[in-house]
Amino acid sequence: MSDKVVVLNGEKVNYDGRIDYSVLAREVTVYEDTREADILERIQGYRIVVTKEMPLKREIIEQFPESVALICEAGTGYNNIDLDAARAKGIQVCNIPAYSSSRVAHTAIMMLLNLSSSMQKQMSMLARGDKCNFTKCLQVDHVEVNGKTLGIIGAGNIGREVIKIGKALGMNILIYTRTPGTDEEGVRYTTFEEVMKNSDYVSLHCPLTPQTKHIINQEALELMKPSAFLINTSRGALVDEKALIQALQEQKIAGAGLDVQETEPPAEDNPLYNLENVILTPHMGWKGLETRERLVQILKDNIQGFLSGNPQNIVA
């Protein structure tokens, strides 16, 4: 059975040249990036196609050559791939659901701790030469997180990691998820509305689907406390960015930590860059070297499992 693999946008993971794709199979071709117009030409004769967050629309998949039997999404989310079209073509699709769980969870907690200490405001003050936090009383908010309420939207692999760390920090946990679990001391499953109303920090960890797009909209933001913070390390489009910017500008919520944005990178004139109550990072949660090396190892396992007749992490 052919194990020819083509990686269509390898630079997305190997942006620093430290990742070795050659371990995936005996014959691997890697393109740094691929325009939509070049996809069909580049996959001719290959059995396995690897992409990272690259849109594969129905009209493209319908034209895939007969050689293609597996599409590997080199990440957790697969909303970029038309699964129905892949099924219709008899092409299996797999993803890597847990490779970055710990690191993304740590990013969410980093946001939480920095927001609780107004760290972005302190750094901004120093950057403009304002040292009054040193020469006067502390001029910014600095609060304990123990005893505060952490709201979790989506309790998959990453959400559960954040819950674990939140508990270790002495936080009370409220969870909204499609499949509620069992309540325990300090952890309670409840409604979306209650999470939004009663949380001091709301952290998003659900996949992007038609049902979850803009789950955080104007109405949801209006439920939050004026002292509460929103954290998103999942998918940018979970949040209606215009509504969030307005809520931040009008101080309807205290601030936000955003590792993902609705458009990545944000436009040059996006107000999020300059809002003092926002921590903005470039979708870095999964980009650590150890995390990317784990990604490639699991990708290799997926491919070898497929070739041996024991496919792993199949989503379609």
Side-chain angles (χ1 to χ4, degrees):
M1 180 184 292
S2 169
D3 65 348
K4 291 181 65 177
V5 175
V6 58
V7 182
L8 290 180
N9 58 339
E11 190 178 40
K12 187 87 173 181
V13 172
N14 192 27
Y15 58 84
D16 55 0
R18 301 172 75 181
I19 297 299
D20 181 11
Y21 286 113
S22 69
V23 302
L24 296 181
R26 286 176 296 187
E27 184 175 346
V28 181
T29 300
V30 180
Y31 295 98
E32 288 190 356
D33 199 8
T34 298
R35 298 179 307 148
E36 183 177 288
D38 296 328
I39 291 174
L40 294 176
E41 177 184 348
R42 290 183 172 182
I43 65 176
Q44 294 294 326
Y46 288 91
R47 185 171 181 78
I48 299 161
V49 176
V50 176
T51 65
K52 172 69 172 173
E53 299 168 10
M54 173 182 286
L56 292 179
K57 302 174 184 176
R58 171 178 292 275
E59 54 267 30
I60 295 292
I61 292 177
E62 287 177 340
Q63 299 178 69
F64 269 32
E66 293 301 316
S67 62
V68 175
L70 178 68
I71 298 171
C72 293
E73 167 56 41
T76 56
Y78 45 87
N79 52 287
N80 51 299
I81 300 172
D82 191 313
L83 298 183
D84 291 336
R87 288 191 190 97
K89 286 283 290 187
I91 299 172
Q92 290 187 302
V93 178
C94 67
N95 70 331
I96 306 176
Y99 78 98
S100 63
S101 298
S102 293
R103 190 61 192 89
V104 176
H106 296 168
T107 301
I109 295 297
M110 176 273 291
M111 297 278 192
L112 186 155
L113 293 173
N114 276 277
L115 290 166
S116 72
S117 298
S118 304
M119 196 60 64
Q120 77 285 9
K121 293 182 182 179
Q122 294 197 51
M123 295 300 99
S124 177
M125 291 168 72
L126 279 178
R128 59 177 184 262
D130 182 352
K131 301 180 179 66
C132 69
N133 282 318
F134 296 85
T135 59
K136 302 178 182 178
C137 295
L138 189 63
Q139 304 294 299
V140 297
D141 291 334
H142 179 57
V143 301
E144 297 178 353
V145 300
N146 49 293
K148 299 297 190 300
T149 298
L150 171 59
I152 301 292
I153 307 294
N157 292 312
I158 298 170
R160 289 194 297 272
E161 283 290 315
V162 174
I163 291 166
K164 181 170 68 176
I165 301 170
K167 288 175 63 179
L169 291 171
M171 304 187 77
N172 300 309
I173 314 294
L174 293 177
I175 306 167
Y176 170 72
T177 185
R178 290 178 301 177
T179 53
T182 303
D183 293 350
E184 56 185 273
E185 185 178 356
V187 178
R188 186 160 60 87
Y189 291 82
T190 186
T191 64
F192 176 80
E193 289 75 14
E194 185 172 357
V195 170
M196 300 303 294
K197 285 181 180 179
N198 295 329
S199 297
D200 299 297
Y201 305 86
V202 175
S203 192
L204 306 181
H205 301 288
C206 50
L208 178 61
T209 67
Q211 291 72 39
T212 61
K213 182 177 181 180
H214 287 184
I215 190 172
I216 304 300
N217 52 26
Q218 181 180 346
E219 292 75 17
L221 290 164
E222 288 175 351
L223 294 173
M224 294 178 69
K225 303 176 185 179
S227 59
F229 297 93
L230 179 71
I231 297 167
N232 189 9
T233 57
S234 186
R235 289 289 182 264
L238 296 175
V239 178
D240 181 339
E241 201 165 273
K242 290 182 179 178
L244 175 61
I245 290 169
Q246 182 177 350
L248 291 164
Q249 290 173 331
E250 297 176 0
Q251 298 183 340
K252 291 182 177 178
I253 65 172
L258 306 171
D259 189 42
V260 290
Q261 300 85 40
E262 208 162 358
T263 299
E264 296 179 0
E268 289 288 335
D269 60 351
N270 192 310
L272 292 172
Y273 283 121
N274 300 311
L275 287 173
E276 203 171 52
N277 56 348
V278 173
I279 298 174
L280 199 67
T281 53
H283 204 154
M284 71 178 194
W286 63 272
K287 290 179 180 175
L289 178 60
E290 304 99 327
T291 310
R292 290 179 290 130
E293 289 174 338
R294 187 181 306 114
L295 181 156
V296 172
Q297 181 58 53
I298 299 173
L299 189 58
K300 174 185 175 182
D301 293 343
N302 283 349
I303 290 171
Q304 296 306 313
F306 169 78
L307 293 172
S308 66
N310 296 299
Q312 302 175 43
N313 301 318
I314 296 296
V315 295

